[in-house]
């Protein structure tokens, strides 16, 4: 057998003791970890926990494994929204298929879990919009998915909304750019697969009432075209409007989750023409800024919410001390005095149900609600205590991220 792993190699050393010579479906339960939030797969997929980290192992033909390994490595290097690949095991005894190893995407959920859960009705439109954003991001990067579906997508909560990640790259092809026909074909495949997946849920009694599978699926191309047009369209405006119109367009793109590589302004008789080179670049502005100030790595909308709280805390410090407070000082002090105490106070039996940054976001929401009801600011500490008693326990236990489950054993 041969193993091919990407740095850091320390991630792989704990995996070497696993029974790679056996077919995955024959592995003993002692090696495996149950993941309730997982989706379904046409391949044999198993999850393992080693030294507090969780990995997904997929048995697949070697050419496909190498193809997916190479692409996922590219995507990670470019910051594209996809799972992180660790390595492959090939040349297994008895002409067995290769095994592709990816790092489990913490706090992620499959569409089956989300749609069949109590929040399914609320999340139907959000999930479709989120998947469309993922597809547009990939198309901008010249990536033809070839099998865009809910089954091949993972979702994570991001400050009350969702972020989507590609989880299966077997059919992916990479080009310098995609033609309109390639994009249309990918979107049409997505429409068909989403419709079939939702019909399957409906047939199994897992789809909440009020969701029409075909109506939802048929709306996908329209949603895609609307977002694509918003992202790539050229604008023409008067020269005296140039300053604020450019800023307005760039802000709109940032709000949609896209970054700008280059701005081109062309002066013509009919006005100034704006062309924007739109690209996908993770982490986004807010994530980078929060990491710079606090060292926290979170998702983009979570970062935006946390940054607002950091700025409010900085203003409080300046008012209290009567002098300017450097943003780096405010960031580190906020982390120690505001954020970390909330995270540390999460009851052990509820840990892992939501990402720490998502918990903090919800505590801030709960603080606003309690303050409105009380007619005064109740403070983060009191809001957190109330949230841990009244709200967090409502989160399904099955949502607990696998690494926390593994740590309790």
């Amino acid at each position: 057998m041969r193993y091919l792993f990407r740095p850091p190699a320390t991630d792989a050393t704990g995996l070497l003791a696993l029974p790679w010579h056996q077919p995955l479906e024959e592995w003993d339960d002692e090696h495996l970890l149950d993941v309730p939030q997982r989706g379904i797969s046409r391949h044999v997929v198993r999850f393992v926990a080693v030294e507090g980290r969780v990995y997904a192992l997929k048995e697949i033909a070697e050419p496909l494994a190498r193809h997916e390994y190479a692409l996922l490595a590219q995507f990670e290097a470019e910051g594209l929204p996809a799972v992180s690949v660790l390595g492959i095991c090939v040349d297994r005894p008895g002409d067995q298929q290769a095994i592709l190893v990816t790092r489990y995407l913490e706090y992620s959920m499959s569409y089956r879990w989300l749609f069949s859960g109590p929040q399914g009705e609320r999340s139907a439109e959000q999930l479709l919009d989120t998947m469309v954003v993922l597809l547009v991001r990939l198309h901008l990067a010249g990536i033809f998915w070839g099998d865009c579906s809910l089954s091949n997508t993972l979702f994570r909560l991001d400050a009350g909304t969702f972020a989507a990640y590609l989880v299966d790259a077997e059919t992916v092809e990479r080009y310098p750019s995609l033609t309109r026909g390639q994009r249309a074909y990918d979107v049409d495949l997505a429409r068909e697969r989403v419709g079939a997946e939702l019909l399957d849920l409906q047939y199994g009694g897992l789809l909440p009432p009020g969701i029409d599978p075909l109506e939802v699926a048929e709306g996908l191309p329209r949603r895609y075209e609307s977002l694509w047009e918003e992202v790539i369209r050229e604008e023409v405006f008067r020269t005296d409007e140039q300053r604020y119109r450019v800023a307005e367009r760039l802000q709109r793109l940032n709000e949609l989750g896209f970054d700008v590589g280059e701005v081109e302004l062309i002066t013509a008789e009919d006005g100034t023409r704006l062309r924007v080179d739109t690209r996908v670049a993770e982490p986004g502005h807010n994530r980078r800024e929060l990491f710079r100030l606090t060292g926290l790595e979170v998702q983009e909308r979570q970062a935006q919410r946390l940054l607002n709280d950091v700025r409010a805390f900085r203003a409080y410090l300046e008012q209290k001390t009567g002098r300017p407070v450097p943003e780096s000082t405010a960031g580190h002090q906020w982390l120690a005095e505001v954020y970390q105490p909330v995270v540390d106070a999460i009851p052990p039996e509820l840990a892992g149900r939501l990402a720490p940054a998502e918990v903090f976001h919800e505590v801030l929401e709960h603080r606003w609600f309690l303050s409105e009801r009380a007619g005064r600011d109740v403070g983060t500490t009191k809001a957190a205590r109330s949230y841990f008693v009244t709200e967090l326990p409502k989160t399904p236990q099955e949502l607990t991220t696998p690494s926390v489950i593994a740590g309790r054993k």
Side-chain angles (χ1 to χ4, degrees):
M1 293 186 294
R2 287 189 294 133
Y3 305 93
L4 180 62
F5 292 108
R6 301 181 66 238
T10 51
D11 273 23
T13 54
L15 295 169
L16 297 179
L18 294 173
W20 299 97
H21 61 284
Q22 295 179 352
L24 265 182
E25 60 184 356
E26 296 179 7
W27 284 23
D28 291 337
D29 289 344
E30 65 179 282
H31 299 298
L32 305 176
L33 183 68
D34 182 45
V35 177
Q37 310 94 319
R38 65 170 296 176
I40 56 176
S41 175
R42 57 180 174 267
H43 301 289
V44 178
V45 177
R46 297 290 185 266
F47 297 88
V48 299
V50 178
E51 298 176 357
R53 296 186 179 94
V54 179
Y55 305 90
L57 280 58
K58 178 171 70 173
E59 217 161 37
I60 187 174
E62 182 176 335
L64 289 176
R66 289 185 175 276
H67 176 72
E68 190 166 5
Y69 171 78
L71 284 171
L72 289 176
Q74 285 181 27
F75 297 170
E76 184 174 4
E78 296 172 26
L80 290 167
V83 293
S84 171
V85 68
L86 177 64
I88 53 176
C89 177
V90 297
D91 293 343
R92 299 169 68 216
D95 293 325
Q96 294 182 71
Q97 292 185 324
I99 295 180
L100 178 75
V101 184
T102 55
R103 297 175 180 87
Y104 180 78
L105 187 64
E106 295 289 344
Y107 298 99
S108 65
M109 298 162 278
S110 70
Y111 83 98
R112 291 184 70 86
W113 197 94
L114 279 166
F115 272 117
S116 59
Q119 69 275 55
E121 260 185 281
R122 178 183 65 82
S123 65
E125 298 299 311
Q126 281 184 308
L127 288 192
L128 197 62
D129 281 337
T130 303
M131 195 176 81
V132 165
V133 170
L134 172 62
L135 190 56
V136 168
R137 287 180 170 181
L138 296 176
H139 284 179
L140 280 172
I143 296 167
F144 174 79
W145 196 339
D147 194 13
C148 176
S149 64
L150 290 166
S151 296
N152 291 335
T153 308
L154 285 175
F155 300 91
R156 286 205 294 191
L157 281 168
D158 185 6
T161 63
F162 289 101
Y165 296 78
L166 178 149
V167 72
D168 195 323
E170 294 170 38
T171 58
V172 166
E173 296 294 338
R174 191 79 185 265
Y175 301 92
S177 62
L178 297 184
T179 66
R180 183 176 183 84
Q182 286 173 317
R183 292 191 298 104
Y185 184 67
D186 227 5
V187 171
D188 198 47
L189 284 174
R191 177 185 60 80
E192 291 179 4
R193 282 160 171 71
V194 168
E197 288 165 330
L198 296 184
L199 283 170
D200 179 58
L201 287 184
Q202 187 180 63
Y203 181 78
L206 298 176
L207 197 65
I211 297 179
D212 184 329
L214 296 182
E215 182 179 332
V216 171
E218 290 300 325
L220 191 150
R222 172 182 49 79
R223 293 167 187 260
Y224 172 89
E225 286 302 329
S226 176
L227 180 58
W228 182 263
E229 176 62 23
E230 175 70 26
V231 168
I232 60 94
R233 65 182 168 87
E234 292 186 2
E235 290 184 72
V236 178
F237 43 80
R238 299 196 313 268
T239 302
D240 60 348
E241 299 177 316
Q242 176 177 312
R243 184 172 180 178
Y244 83 88
R245 290 289 295 273
V246 172
E248 185 180 68
R249 178 71 190 284
L250 299 187
Q251 181 177 354
R252 171 63 177 158
L253 288 172
N254 289 153
E255 288 171 353
L256 289 170
F258 296 89
D259 282 345
V260 174
E262 186 175 69
V263 176
E264 182 181 14
L265 292 171
I266 304 171
T267 303
E269 292 183 1
D270 56 347
T272 299
R273 187 176 299 273
L274 169 66
R275 290 179 183 169
V276 178
D277 171 27
T278 311
R279 64 182 182 180
V280 184
E282 291 288 344
H285 169 74
N286 292 308
R287 292 180 68 182
R288 291 192 297 270
E289 182 68 5
L290 184 70
F291 182 78
R292 182 180 71 84
L293 292 177
T294 68
L296 292 176
E297 293 192 63
V298 304
Q299 297 187 91
E300 181 68 7
R301 289 186 179 89
Q302 292 169 346
Q304 186 177 31
R305 189 66 192 276
L306 268 58
L307 278 172
N308 287 340
D309 202 56
V310 171
R311 289 162 184 150
F313 181 73
R314 182 187 182 189
Y316 159 76
L317 290 177
E318 291 183 335
Q319 183 182 40
K320 181 181 177 181
T321 61
R323 62 177 185 273
V325 176
E327 59 179 8
S328 58
T329 300
H332 285 91
Q333 200 167 336
W334 171 88
L335 180 68
E337 298 178 14
V338 181
Y339 179 83
Q340 201 58 50
V342 170
V343 172
D344 291 343
I346 297 173
E349 68 276 12
L350 301 177
R353 295 196 183 185
L354 296 175
E358 192 69 21
V359 169
F360 191 84
H361 156 74
E362 294 210 349
V363 166
L364 293 180
E365 291 285 293
H366 193 61
R367 174 180 173 175
W368 179 88
F369 170 76
L370 293 179
S371 299
E372 282 285 298
R373 192 169 63 181
R376 58 180 177 80
D377 185 8
V378 302
T380 302
T381 302
K382 183 176 180 179
R385 284 199 297 264
S386 171
Y387 173 79
F388 295 145
V389 172
T390 63
E391 302 301 323
L392 190 56
K394 297 176 184 177
T395 307
Q397 184 177 353
E398 296 80 9
L399 201 59
T400 305
T401 199
S403 62
V404 172
I405 296 174
R408 290 172 178 168
K409 293 183 177 180

